[in-house]
Structure formats: structure tokens, C-alpha cells
Amino acid sequence: MTAETYVNQIVKKVKCPKKRRDEIRRQLLADITMEMEQGEKIEKIMLRMGEPIAIAEEFNQNIPQEEAKKYKRGRRIKVFICIAAVLMAAVLAAVWFLPFGKDFGSSGLFDEKTVEERSKEVIQLLDAEDYDTLLEESNAYMQKVITKETIDEAKKLAGENWGEFQSFGKLYMAEQKQQGKTRAVVQMNAAYENIVVTYTLFFDKDMKLSGLYIK
């Protein structure tokens, strides 16, 4: 491991504004570089300093309260921007869902049982955090934007501590045409130990996941 990689692992866990993190990064690199120039091996330096997460926690305990609050505000804004980018297609489609939706089955492209089974499968993949399989069953756009981080953040926005999955609830289906393409739109409730979550899922004519919204 290089000094830069080691320091980046530390700084990544420090909960403060970017300016302060940059200062911490520069100082740590300067200290490590000076020791290496004096003949110290990077492995011994890292062993003496300790695990990155432990060092980051020491920094976090000494971050001024105002800077910690600023970091949290910035983090929330970043999360909202990230989720908005990932789910943009789904949000736009949701706006069109009621006024411009079509009766399910009117296009002849979708089968009710198939759509229901695929919807449950997607939710189960999300619960299992099987993102590799989920990506295989998504269209090209969703393959570019689905990551564990963005899905985890979307789940957090819906609520903390969901608990174990209990059962599927009400399901609504419709079709929505946008830019000449017809998609199946599904709203499905899923009950967990501590919360009921509403999933809005979108599938293209090949039954690939093309949009996702969690609330």
C-alpha cells in the first residue's frame, strides 16, 4: 500500500468539510513523507499509526461542532443530488403516471403475471443486496447508475431500521408512454418489521428494469 492510498483511506472516514479534509490529507502525507525520507519503511509507519478507521475516529472526535454540522448539511445535499440523478427517469415518469398513464395491457406488450413476478424479484434482489443480478436485469441506463451506495442512500431516505421483510402488499399496474416507448409501471407495497415501503418500478418491453423509486 502506498502512503497516498493509506492517507486517502483515513481522510475518507473523516466527517468534516472538504477544505479541512484536504488540510488533514496534506499534513498526513507531509508527515509520512518526512519519515520515509529519513529511511522509515511505509509498512512500519502504518503499523505504528494504526488502522485508518481508528485514526479517522480520532480526528472526528476533535472536529469543531460547527464544522461537523456543516459536514452533515453538505452530506445531505450530496445525497439528495445523487439520488435525484439516479432516479431521475423514475421521478419524471411518476409525474406522468396519473395524467398520461394508459390502462395496463392496452399495448399488448406486457403480461400481468410476468410483471408481478418480476417486480417481486427486483424487490427481493434489493433486500438481498444482490446488485450484480439486479444490473443484469436492468437496461443500459440503470446499469450506469445503480450502485450499492445510491441504493443504500435511497433506502435511508425511506426510513431507518426497516427490519426483516414480512410480506408483499397492494400492487397497482399501468402503462406509460414516453418518447415513443411504452413501459410497464408498477407500484407495490412491501411490509418490513418496522416500516411499510412503497416501490415504484418501471420495466421496458423486454422486462428490463428501467426506473426505480423507493419511498
Side-chain angles (χ1 to χ4, degrees):
M1 182 185 295
T2 66
E4 185 172 350
T5 301
Y6 178 67
V7 170
N8 284 341
Q9 288 183 359
I10 297 171
V11 175
K12 184 179 180 181
K13 299 293 185 181
V14 178
K15 299 177 181 180
C16 65
K18 184 177 183 300
K19 183 177 180 181
R20 173 61 68 89
R21 290 202 305 273
D22 289 342
E23 292 175 359
I24 293 172
R25 179 185 287 106
R26 285 194 295 269
Q27 186 60 55
L28 287 172
L29 281 174
D31 292 344
I32 293 174
T33 299
M34 182 176 66
E35 293 189 41
M36 292 177 66
E37 290 175 347
Q38 294 174 353
E40 193 76 52
K41 298 291 186 181
I42 182 62
E43 292 79 10
K44 290 186 177 181
I45 297 173
M46 291 189 296
L47 183 62
R48 183 178 67 254
M49 293 180 64
E51 291 294 323
I53 190 170
I55 301 171
E57 186 58 32
E58 290 182 14
F59 279 112
N60 288 334
Q61 292 176 0
N62 293 286
I63 294 296
Q65 186 175 10
E66 186 59 34
E67 288 195 15
K69 289 181 179 179
K70 184 177 180 181
Y71 167 81
K72 290 180 180 180
R73 288 195 298 269
R75 179 64 178 170
R76 285 196 293 267
I77 292 172
K78 182 179 179 180
V79 167
F80 286 133
I81 292 175
C82 184
I83 299 303
V86 173
L87 305 178
M88 185 181 300
V91 172
L92 290 175
V95 173
W96 283 20
F97 181 76
L98 290 176
F100 300 104
K102 299 165 62 179
D103 291 338
F104 183 84
S106 59
S107 68
L109 295 174
F110 304 102
D111 172 72
E112 183 174 341
K113 184 177 180 180
T114 300
V115 173
E116 179 177 355
E117 290 178 349
R118 180 56 63 88
S119 299
K120 292 180 178 179
E121 180 184 359
V122 167
I123 294 172
Q124 290 167 344
L125 290 173
L126 289 168
D127 287 342
E129 298 187 354
D130 187 354
Y131 300 119
D132 290 338
T133 303
L134 184 62
L135 287 172
E136 292 176 0
E137 299 188 2
S138 301
N139 69 1
Y141 171 75
M142 294 299 287
Q143 288 176 354
K144 294 178 181 179
V145 297
I146 287 180
T147 65
K148 183 180 186 305
E149 181 180 10
T150 55
I151 296 299
D152 285 348
E153 295 296 349
K155 288 181 177 180
K156 287 181 182 179
L157 291 176
E160 298 284 351
N161 188 25
W162 292 12
E164 294 297 321
F165 171 81
Q166 301 295 306
S167 62
F168 290 110
K170 293 182 179 180
L171 179 147
Y172 303 94
M173 297 184 189
E175 293 183 9
Q176 180 258 329
K177 191 170 185 179
Q178 186 176 27
Q179 296 181 344
K181 297 180 180 180
T182 300
R183 301 193 295 179
V185 185
V186 180
Q187 275 195 344
M188 176 180 283
N189 292 336
Y192 296 83
E193 288 180 315
N194 303 316
I195 191 174
V196 175
V197 177
T198 299
Y199 293 89
T200 303
L201 309 172
F202 301 83
F203 298 97
D204 63 19
K205 63 182 180 62
D206 298 317
M207 288 307 300
K208 293 290 187 179
L209 182 69
S210 61
L212 168 65
Y213 185 64
I214 303 172
K215 66 177 181 179

